[in-house]
Amino acid sequence: MEIQEIMLKKFVEVFGDKENKELFFTPGRVNLIGEHIDYNGGFVFPCALSFGTYAICSKREDNIFRMYSMNFEKDGVVEFSTDKLVKADVWADYCKGIVDIFIKKGYEVKNGADILFFGNIPNGAGLSSSASLEVLMGTMVRDLNELDVDMVEIVKIGQMAENQFIGVSCGIMDQFAVGMGKEDQAILLDCNTLDYKYVPIKLEDVSIVIMNTNKRRGLADSKYNERRASCEAALKDLQDAGVEIKNICDLNMEEFDKVKHFIKSDEALVRVRHAVSENVRVLESVESLKANDIAKFGKLMNESHISLRDDYEVTGKELDSIVAAAWDAEGVIGARMTGAGFGGCAVSLVKNSSIDSFIKYVGERYTKETGLKADFYIANVGEGSRKLGDL
């Protein structure tokens, strides 16, 4: 039975049969290269995936939202009105946050809805299940209330909801990638200006294989804050010394080598070396894809992981084990951690003829080294948030 049929059956069971039902979808995302540089003024290079979060939505004539998630069935139906939007520490807070920001920005949200959700993004894997839910909700709120809001605005509302309502200081990459994704294209995004361009990914006989370590990212938040503070301190050192930059990633490697002696802390020095070199790798990756040089792209992925492991120190045993196994597997073009680090996922490019043997080899070796079982997803590069049709 297809996802749509299963969801439709559940919708009727939970909310009754409604005439005006619509199906919406927002993907997950993976960042192909460009890690921990969004807050250093660098470029990121994400793409939307073919799996994500689905919703069946039926418009109501009042301002009440009733929500049910097939991923969190124990929570039952979560109900709230636009008059009272209070955090309750459940998954539906991400949806409440979207409604809250729409209203605060002056949009009239007069219609609620009965909504059934189902997501096939693994929770906690670092593939942006929260951003997917936020942008999906934003797309539905816009359509339900016939608001004149473009997707970039929905993306910004998604980030604001997570920052202000949920209380997580995320950048904008995740929401941007899931909202603005295009089939078979990655997005080169300047996180400061939101300038972006699409870059075709012609993989032909190669696939993106995502490797989930199934190690929860327990350290990510505190270590993220430490890394960010190191970079901010280094930026101040450089600016105080008269180096005219606004962000760390304004430097290229040659310029970095000339001014690195101004950075007072040895730890901050290696953090900055990662940020500058990673930004260079992102731009080289774009050029390699334009030239259809997948081998060069794979090499840059490998170099990215090494930099994240040795200079930024955000990998950990599980990510290092799974990436090292991938590097040794037949048919691999490149592999690296993706996301915040300390667990979650790695991403690899693998020749289609070797995918089965790759998964077997990497899976067995990873379990032997860590005692954990990895999951693997063969990902296609998909479209961003959209309505799929009427039901």
Side-chain angles (χ1 to χ4, degrees), residues 11 17-23 56-61 112-114 144 390-391:
F11 183 94
D17 198 8
K18 305 287 179 78
E19 285 182 12
N20 56 331
K21 294 186 293 295
E22 300 172 306
L23 181 66
I56 294 178
C57 174
S58 177
K59 182 175 177 177
R60 295 174 61 94
E61 294 308 313
D114 293 336
L144 283 167
D390 297 317
L391 297 175

Side-chain angles (χ1 to χ4, degrees), residues 10 127 267 308 354:
K10 191 70 181 179
L127 301 176
E267 182 185 275
L308 287 156
S354 301

Side-chain angles (χ1 to χ4, degrees), residues 163-180:
N163 292 170
Q164 297 174 21
F165 194 86
I166 302 296
V168 175
S169 285
C170 67
I172 202 164
M173 175 183 73
D174 294 354
Q175 290 85 357
F176 202 96
V178 304
M180 299 291 289

Side-chain angles (χ1 to χ4, degrees), residues 54-72:
Y54 295 83
I56 294 178
C57 174
S58 177
K59 182 175 177 177
R60 295 174 61 94
E61 294 308 313
D62 55 21
N63 67 344
I64 291 170
F65 286 91
R66 295 194 301 163
M67 302 185 162
Y68 184 92
S69 172
M70 292 171 67
N71 300 90
F72 300 97

